[in-house]
Structures are given as structure tokens and as C-alpha cells.
Amino acid sequence: MSSLSRRQLLFGLAATPVLLSLGCSRTAVAQRSTRPLPIPPLAEGMLGSDGVRTFTLKAMTGETEMLPGVRTTTWGFNGPVLGPTLRARRGERVAVRVENALDEPTTVHWHGMHVPARCDGGPHQTVPVGGHWQPRWMIDQPAATLWYHPHPHGATEKHVYRGLAGMFLIDDEIATGLPQDYGVDDIPLVIQDRRFTASGALDEADPTDVGLLGGTIVTNGIVGAHLTVGTQRTRLRMLNGSGGRLYNLGFADGRTFHIVAGDGGLLAEPVPATRIQLSPGERAEIVLTCEPGESAVLQSFPIENRAGLESEEADRFGVDDTFVILEVHAEQNLRPGGTPPAALATLPPLPDVDAAVKRDFELQWFMINRQRMDMNRIDFHAVVDTDEIWTVRNVDNWPHNFHVHDTQFRIVDIDGAPPPPHLAGFKDTVYTPPGQRIRLAVRFSDYTDPVWPYMYHCHLALHEDQGMMGQFLVLNPGQQPGGAPAMDAMTGHAMR
Ligand code: C2O
Ligand code: CU
Ligand code: CU
């Protein structure tokens, strides 16, 4: 709110009873002491003479005022909580020097990134205490909102819960007409749930069957965030960075917004919506339109259809909860947003299902296809540049989702029906309610490796930690796998 409008409000307060009540509710908002939304800084990166831009991420411990006035011990990259936003253009060559100043090993995985397996940052690319790891690759995928987070075997939930996560934005040359001024009208939102002990520490006791569920929402690392916008249109890049909670995001006044991108990039065209559901690890970009001087409150609402769960599970997993995620206040003078684009991206046609390689994945308890993760077991080999159709079934009564490394897939159908338009673009993570059958068109290109595997897993972090994960190699036609990598990877010298 500008100081002018604040004065007008105070002036009006004394003037009429109608404005008095408005004034009171505004005052109540202020007394709840909302704080400005922290915007993770853009990582600078060092451009080397070889044309490679090198970023540095140092995992460390610190203290954060997640709750106002309360110091909470947290973990972050290059700071006390979360991490800088990495941003790179398609075609650019990047490297990230990951340093580990924690007192336990970790990894950093580039979620959604098309990247060589040895650079993927999964459980095989451990960064030892005091050590470092420096993967490098070329950015080769469409513009998208990706993210990075630790992926240490069996400890992913804890590392992310304590604060290790950040955004990785991919740009490309195509002009979209979407807001793109980072931190001004193009805003990253890392949405997470937390539980605090009486002394203000992060509470890691008593996980549910979907992991640590918190009744307090932190957005970009703080509780009670507000954002003042000076433009008519604002792009919100929303990440469900929680371990086990589903969100059903929309605005308190029920207004329509436009979904413009999913996990892996832009949709064919903006999709008008009043709600969007995100399961852990999923992203969506939306465009919010504001009138001068108004407020819009981004909330999470009860999940549609109780997330497909039976009532006992729905109760236990908090699917009926409602939260405020972010209060958006528009200034009195808004820069016009221009014409919203009618078309965004050209999505390739889906492959021929009958001609594709088929694989089946059954999700149940902490298992995929009745097995838990074994670092020394490769579950299958995929041949590079080959269309595959993966049929994923949740045969459980728990919620699960399904994430695949290295690639962006397309949803062919959900229980036989084509996906709704906002799920029809490129994705890397999809919610799989109990009983549902989802078919995915999957393809791996470029990077073959007979040793280092990629992961596929449920992205409910506790489930992943408990072994709801498998590993696959991408090979050339006729190529043989080259033996288990697990042991030498544990030394941290995973780059070969
Ligand atoms: Cu976001 Cu295998 O992870
Ligand atoms: Cu991933
Ligand atoms: Cu799961």
C-alpha cells in the first residue's frame, strides 16, 4: 500500500462507519504483522573464458525468523534458509560448485533438468562434509521453472524440511509477452509447511504416513508474507516444496487467474482457472491480474474430491486444511500489463502409443513394483531416443505421486481420459490418487551412461526416503550396463 492510500484509509477511518470496518480489517492484517515476501537473490555466476557460467552453492546452517521475532535454526544455501535463484538460458553451459559446510553428507539434485546422470545430484553424487562437487552441463530444454534440492539416500525429507531448496529458472529466446522482471512482476514462491516446537525449533517429531505435516505455512522461508505489486499483471512461479502436503491454490475472492506453465515449461495457451492443485515437487506458473489498490489473498483450499482418499486417510493427511499463502497488495498506480498472450508454446504431438516401449509401475506402501530402493540394483535400462509409455498405478489407499529424473514427460491419459489442459504440457511430477491409472509418454535423449543411473520415485519425501524409488540407466542400442556405481560414488568423487 502506498503512503498516500494509507493516509486516505486513516482519513476515511474517522469519516464513515463503512470505512471504519474496512480500516479495522486492514489494521488487523497489519497487526498480524505480515512481512514483505523475501525474494531469493539471483545467483550471479562467474563467466569463465571457456564460456561456462559457474554458480556456487554452499550448504550451511543458520538462523531464520520464519516466525516473526523467533530465531529458528535452519539450513540454507549461501545463507540461513533456502537458496539463491539460479537462472540460465537455453544453450548456455553451466557448472555449479556445490560446497558442503553441514555436519553431514548431502547432495544437490536439479529437479526437472535434462542433465547427464553423473551430474544429476541424486543419491550417488554425495558431497561429503567439508567437500565439494562440481557438475557441468549444457542447458538444453524449453523455458521452465525448475528447482534444486538435496537428495541424500534416506535423508531427503530432513534436508529439505530444514530449508535446503531453491529455484532454477530456464529462459529461452521465445518472446511470450509474460511478465518477466524477476522480483518485480515475476515472483518465485516456495510454498512449504512447517511445525514448530514451543521454543521455536523446527519440529521433526511424529511424522505421519506422508511425512512431517505442518500446520504453519512458510512462503519463501517466512510465515505471513505479503507482496506489494506495481503492475497490473504478476507472474507467480509456485513450487510445492513440502515433503508430504498437497495444496489447492487459489484466491480468497475466487477470482480467475491464468495458468501459463507446468513443471517443464509453458502450456500451449493460458488456461483460466480458479484453483490449481500441486503435489510435492510440482510447479505451476500463474498470471494474477490486479486492479489498482486492491488486495488478493493467495490461499490453499481443501483438496478437490479429498485428493481421492478415503475419509480416514484424508483426515490424517490434512487434505481439508485451509491456509493463507501470500497477501498481494496492488499499488494505486499500476503499470499496464500489455495484452495477455493468446498462445504460449507449440507442444509436439504425443507419440504413437502402440509403437512405444511399455513399462508398468505399481505404487504401494513404500514400494514401486513391490520393491524398495536398493542403491546397488538397477531396475531397468531405457534405450536413448526411444518413445516409452509408462503406466503408473496407485494401488494403495495412500496418496502418492510419481517423479522421473532427466526428462519431461507428457500425460497421455488419466483413467483413459485425456488430461485437463493445465496438465497437458511437459511435466516431471504427477499426482497419483488411490486407484488411478496414469499413462505417461516418456523419452530420454542425449545422455547415455552404462554406470550412473537416474531415479524415479514418489516425491512425498518420506516415501522416497523409505525406499519408494528405483533406478534406471539410459543406454545406446545394444550397450551393456557397466556395473554398480554405489561404492565409489560414496567417496564424493562422483564426477568421472
Ligand atoms: Cu525432486 Cu528425485 O527429486
Ligand atoms: Cu528430480
Ligand atoms: Cu508415496
Side-chain angles (χ1 to χ4, degrees), residues 4 14 25 27 31 56 61 69 109 147 198 230 237 256 277 339 341 344 374 379 406 460 471 480:
L4 179 65
S25 76
T27 307
Q31 277 168 354
T56 299
T61 62
H109 164 60
W147 66 300
R237 300 178 186 250
T256 298
Q277 182 182 315
T339 319
L344 293 166
D374 179 344
D379 293 273
D406 179 50
L460 277 63
Q471 325 190 75
Q480 293 304 308

Side-chain angles (χ1 to χ4, degrees), residues 21-45:
S21 68
L22 177 67
C24 284
S25 76
R26 296 274 169 120
T27 307
V29 166
Q31 277 168 354
R32 248 180 29 237
S33 66
T34 70
R35 291 174 288 168
L37 176 76
I39 304 292
L42 279 176
E44 290 290 332

